[in-house]
Amino acid sequence: VHPASATIERIALAAAACVTQAFVMTRFYGLNHSRPMYGLLYPLGAAVGLGALVNAIRRLRGRTNITWRGTTYGGAKLDTVQS
């Protein structure tokens, strides 16, 4: 199997999975007496959740600094900011 055709097959399979999941979520919302169109917002919610997860992983790996109440946390080091 050529690598390019394998990639295209994977993309097609992923797209089919996304469409199937959107359909299932639309049916789920309909069965719960909610607006079925809310099921179409599922991919947006999944993207926001994935973004939050990636952001948290970046912070855990020390690639960004976090300052909270005058203390800066970054990677393995800890710096106290004088107020």
Side-chain angles (χ1 to χ4, degrees), residues 2 16 18 21-22 24-25 34 37 39 41 43 46-47 50 52 54 56-57 67-68 73 75 80-83:
H2 193 270
C18 288
Q21 189 152 8
V24 168
M25 292 303 291
S34 299
M37 288 299 163
L41 293 175
L50 181 63
V54 169
I57 290 171
T67 301
W68 186 63
Y73 304 89
T80 304
V81 177
Q82 300 298 326
S83 302

Side-chain angles (χ1 to χ4, degrees), residues 13 18-20 23 27 30 40-41 48 55-56 58 74 77 80 83:
L13 185 61
C18 288
V19 168
T20 302
F23 175 75
R27 291 280 298 145
L40 297 177
L41 293 175
V48 169
N55 187 24
R58 279 184 48 236
K77 58 185 177 179
T80 304
S83 302

Side-chain angles (χ1 to χ4, degrees), residues 25-40:
M25 292 303 291
T26 301
R27 291 280 298 145
F28 174 77
Y29 278 100
L31 292 172
N32 284 309
H33 305 291
S34 299
R35 290 185 176 181
M37 288 299 163
Y38 287 161
L40 297 177

